[in-house]
Amino acid sequence: PYADPEADIARFIPPSFIPKNPDGRYLIFFDEINTAPPLSQSVAYEIAHERTIGSHPLPKHTAIVMAGNRAKDNGVTFEMPMPLATRCVHIE
């Protein structure tokens, strides 16, 4: 963070993993998303739905892919919260 004395607020510098080229094509891959507890999955929901990481917008051509095990395979899984599940295409 850094101080913005003119606006009298703190601002945050984008993390190094957010691409700097707004015209580039990028992929964010969440592997084993459903092994995370639902509260942690809500972070992925925010990134997928709002297309931001915190207050930093993702570049226009950023694809978001999530992968996980099926519950019927008896892997470690948590049920995906409905708001996140409905924003995904489910492929087996």
Side-chain angles (χ1 to χ4, degrees), residues 4-84:
D4 181 345
E6 291 180 18
D8 197 30
I9 60 173
R11 297 197 184 271
F12 290 85
I13 298 170
S16 62
F17 58 82
I18 294 181
K20 306 284 187 267
N21 180 358
D23 298 321
R25 297 188 181 276
Y26 304 99
L27 172 72
I28 296 177
F29 182 64
F30 291 93
D31 195 15
E32 303 293 347
I33 187 67
N34 59 344
T35 62
L39 187 58
S40 298
Q41 290 181 31
S42 67
V43 174
Y45 167 76
E46 180 181 341
I47 293 170
H49 181 62
E50 302 295 330
R51 302 197 54 80
T52 61
I53 296 177
S55 61
H56 307 290
L58 297 175
K60 182 178 178 181
H61 300 289
T62 300
I64 300 171
V65 176
M66 300 180 195
N69 293 317
R70 299 176 303 179
K72 67 183 182 181
D73 292 335
N74 295 324
V76 176
T77 61
F78 290 93
E79 187 172 343
M80 215 179 236
M82 195 54 66
L84 178 59

